[in-house]
Amino acid sequence: MDSRVKAYQILPRILRLSLCVMVCIFIVASLSGEARARTAAHVLVLHSYHYGYTWTDSLTEGIYSTFADKAPLDNIVVEYMNTKRHPTELIFPHLRVLYADIYRNTHFDLIITTDDNALEFILRYRDELFPKTPVVFCGINNLDNARLRKSKNITGVAEKIEIESTLNLIKQLQPDVTTVAVIAGMSESGRINLKLFREAIQHVDELSALDLSELPVDEIQAQLNKLDSTSVVLNLGLSRSTDGHIFTVDQGINLITQATNRPIYTAWDFAMKPGVVGGNLVSGKHQGAAAANLAIMILNGESADHIPFQESPNANIFDYIELQRYNIPLNRLPSSYILLNAPTPFFTIDRSTGIILIIVSLCIIAVSLLLHYNIKTRRIAAQAMSSTEERFKQLADAAWEAIIIQDEGIIHQVNNQFYPMFGYSLAESKKIDSVEMLIAPESRREFRRHLREDDTTPFDVLAMRKEGSTFPVEMRIKQMDFHGIKAGVLVVRDITERKLIEVKLAEINKTLENLVFERTKTLDQKASELEIANRKLLELDELKSSFMSTVSHDIRTPLTSIIGFTKLISKEFKSSFVGLVEEDSRLAKKRDRIITNLAIIEEEGERLKRLINDFLDLTRIESGSAEWHDQKIDIARLIQQATAVVSGLMPKGAAARIHMEIHEDLPVLHADPDRIMQVLTNLLGNAAKFTPPDKSIIIDVSTHNNAVEIRVTDEGPGIPAKDLVNIFDKFYQVGRGETTPETPKGTGLGLAICKQIIEHYKGHIHAESVLGKGSTFTFSLPV
């Protein structure tokens, strides 16, 4: 069999390879389901609440699982705003400054917000922090279409609890029920849910409401314990009690399940805990998945303004165990539902496995059909193309490249692609004297070298058309037997477009290199300027500390004289002149005013002296020049000494208000006793100043996590939440209000000094307070 027969044998291999490629494409397309977003996309997920909050975690699961299945991303940044624990009016300005700083040089392709607070933050600050960045929201309770549409490039998924649907389900599952005891937390979202409930129950016949939401927790449990067999409970989220206490989802549900044996229904899938029957539920995972699907559409080129807002993807979800517990038959369930904790059938196939089995079966059938068709086609082709010459010609003419068979420069045969590539007609091609006429003069030496070598490695040369123009080609040469002649087969591919692209890429690379060089140069210059500025700031800080220390020392000397002479004048005046003016009322008034003024000078002088001493202490600690005389100390004894010192400064009899609760077997600490005494007297002094005469101060000492923990608790007016954030800052004093009594002014440095001392020993100090009930200052020192 000659070489033309061998050439024909390539056809089955090409067909088999094409079949494999088609099968692979079919499988990948079936599994992917839709176009994938760019893996290099940079996405910010902004959560309203904190990590570990069940609802937020379920949203995150839906977002991540959807991206993992449909459009894996390399760059997802997640931020938690923590607004469950901090008011938005307090934390929003801080987050605005923080995000502006850390994302100054970051560009996001898309932002996903969860729940109302994150969306409100983006609506306020997107133009400043993330201009023109598309936004996808989810978990929105109060969807204000008109307001949102004023902001361009935004879409998302609403969160709407279907309370009326759940009430109808209650009547369907338990026809004998007449009363629904509803519980909602005293948060903003809880009040919204309670309003929705009151509207919904008006549309459901034969059901009355028992609203327990505004009762204290113990009263709620008492009322739940009294429910009879015609009552059920609807839990709309016991997240916050009437006294402001915040509960987790599990804590809220446990408070309800422990108080009643009646069926409990809810509105969210994350509240499906033991003891809860179910309902028409909002699913955090479904919400996150829907938002991620919208994000993928936008990342693939769709405009957010062209995507309408999505309805809440709710589902009927029930717990099989609870249905059995309350004798609710399954035939009362709606037509579409999800059943949790149901008995596992003997034989099950999950959805993904079933899809894979179907795909594999279809692939096997398709491959079998294609193989049968291929065999039949090959048999027909073998019978029809008995001529070796014809088989070769059909194969060669089907190629994308030009194919030339030549021997010692003489062209024997070409395929159809040769004519348009080189500009010759069939008749003109027969007049070509040598194959070198097709090669540009400057490339002929290179062509001859490859022609002599038996090497199939591709090489680039310049080819020449009939009219004399040149163009780049990629050429391969293969030696073969052609009708008994050892001929060379030339395969020629036009690479004009590839060369143009290479030139453009080279230009782009050069431009990028120049940009990188300029940017690097600019960054180096900025870094140098910042280093110089930092050195100057350090020098100014040292100069400031030195200046303030010197000034404080210089002020203390005359201040001591002023205080001393004031005391001396007051003493002399009282002893020498007070008795001389008893009979003259006008002089008596002046006498009293002089005595009062001298007392004020003495008091303010002492206060200024304390301020200077505190400032010097703080300056020495911050600069590292303070002296620390560490030794073994008995913390219980030190607390007793501090209590005695503070008691001596309090009115007579007030010392009994200080109660100590010191645990036994306290470890010995290694620290400077004077510094620890300074912390204790400062905290006790503050507690004494702000605690009314009929209230108590409690000192509690215990060990915890290899540290001694000391808690000073008072029953004073408390500290507002806005002041707790800055309470340990220098010169910061809590403003007086209706709940804050008039107390002696401090220096504003005591707590700052306490913080520096505790942190010097690797400890921690913090404050907690409830307005109207008192404050607790806690510090710990490692053993």
Side-chain angles (χ1 to χ4, degrees), residues 28-242:
V28 171
S30 299
L31 292 176
S32 63
E34 60 182 88
R36 294 181 176 264
R38 297 166 291 159
T39 58
H42 206 174
V43 174
L44 170 64
V45 179
L46 187 62
H47 288 302
S48 293
Y49 306 137
H50 51 276
Y51 176 81
Y53 187 62
T54 308
W55 168 252
T56 299
D57 290 348
S58 64
L59 288 169
T60 303
E61 181 184 359
I63 292 170
Y64 270 86
S65 62
T66 302
F67 274 124
D69 290 342
K70 298 182 178 180
L73 294 184
D74 298 328
N75 302 306
I76 299 181
V77 178
V78 179
E79 291 286 356
Y80 294 89
M81 298 176 63
N82 212 9
T83 59
K84 271 289 183 189
R85 296 167 173 164
H86 304 289
T88 57
E89 63 271 16
L90 173 65
I91 201 171
F92 270 15
H94 295 287
L95 291 176
R96 169 176 164 265
V97 174
L98 175 65
Y99 294 164
D101 186 27
I102 63 178
Y103 295 123
R104 183 185 298 112
N105 298 319
T106 302
H107 167 73
F108 289 107
D109 297 290
L110 184 133
I111 299 173
I112 298 177
T113 68
T114 69
D115 297 290
D116 297 75
N117 291 337
L119 177 60
E120 177 63 28
F121 181 85
I122 287 297
L123 290 176
R124 289 189 194 178
Y125 304 118
R126 177 174 62 165
D127 291 343
E128 174 186 349
L129 301 178
F130 313 107
K132 299 181 180 179
T133 303
V135 175
V136 175
F137 60 79
C138 62
I140 302 305
N141 300 109
N142 190 14
L143 185 61
D144 186 354
N145 288 5
R147 183 192 178 199
L148 288 177
R149 280 308 180 194
K150 291 180 182 178
S151 297
K152 299 297 183 182
N153 215 9
I154 186 168
T155 188
V157 186
E159 176 199 340
K160 182 180 180 183
I161 58 174
E162 295 291 347
I163 296 179
E164 185 174 342
S165 297
T166 298
L167 293 175
N168 286 323
L169 283 173
I170 292 173
K171 288 300 297 180
Q172 180 177 332
L173 299 181
Q174 297 179 267
D176 296 332
V177 170
T178 59
T179 302
V180 177
V182 61
I183 303 171
M186 290 294 96
S187 62
E188 180 179 356
S189 59
R191 293 186 176 92
I192 293 173
N193 294 336
L194 190 57
K195 179 181 177 183
L196 294 174
F197 168 81
R198 290 167 179 167
E199 295 172 353
I201 200 167
Q202 295 178 4
H203 299 93
V204 182
D205 296 332
E206 301 176 0
L207 279 184
S208 60
L210 175 61
D211 188 357
L212 308 179
S213 303
E214 298 183 1
L215 299 177
V217 173
D218 54 351
E219 183 62 25
I220 290 175
Q221 291 185 308
Q223 292 294 326
L224 289 175
N225 191 43
K226 298 177 182 178
L227 295 179
D228 58 22
S229 60
T230 63
S231 303
V232 296
V233 180
L234 179 58
N235 176 21
L236 295 182
L238 182 56
S239 58
R240 179 178 296 177
S241 62
T242 54

Side-chain angles (χ1 to χ4, degrees), residues 216-374:
V217 173
D218 54 351
E219 183 62 25
I220 290 175
Q221 291 185 308
Q223 292 294 326
L224 289 175
N225 191 43
K226 298 177 182 178
L227 295 179
D228 58 22
S229 60
T230 63
S231 303
V232 296
V233 180
L234 179 58
N235 176 21
L236 295 182
L238 182 56
S239 58
R240 179 178 296 177
S241 62
T242 54
D243 61 0
H245 184 77
I246 295 175
F247 300 104
T248 65
V249 173
D250 289 344
Q251 289 171 340
I253 294 173
N254 288 339
L255 287 173
I256 297 172
T257 56
Q258 291 170 5
T260 184
N261 60 358
R262 300 303 303 146
I264 301 171
Y265 293 83
T266 185
W268 299 273
D269 66 342
F270 63 81
M272 287 296 294
K273 306 294 181 181
V276 180
V277 175
N280 186 266
L281 310 184
V282 173
S283 169
K285 184 176 180 180
H286 292 170
Q287 283 269 325
N293 282 323
L294 295 180
I296 292 171
M297 293 172 62
I298 295 171
L299 293 176
N300 282 327
E302 184 73 25
S303 171
D305 291 329
H306 296 160
I307 303 175
F309 296 161
Q310 305 294 304
E311 294 292 336
S312 183
N314 297 357
N316 295 317
I317 303 177
F318 304 96
D319 190 320
Y320 177 85
I321 295 175
E322 299 303 319
L323 293 174
Q324 295 297 307
R325 175 186 176 188
Y326 297 109
N327 297 318
I328 300 175
L330 297 181
N331 58 13
R332 291 184 184 175
L333 296 179
S335 58
S336 175
Y337 62 89
I338 298 172
L339 194 60
L340 307 180
N341 299 321
T344 304
F346 178 76
F347 178 78
T348 60
I349 298 178
D350 60 74
R351 183 172 180 269
S352 59
T353 304
I355 291 174
I356 293 173
L357 289 175
I358 292 171
I359 291 173
V360 171
S361 300
L362 292 175
C363 289
I364 293 173
I365 295 171
V367 170
S368 300
L369 293 174
L370 288 172
L371 287 174
H372 176 73
Y373 176 76
N374 181 40

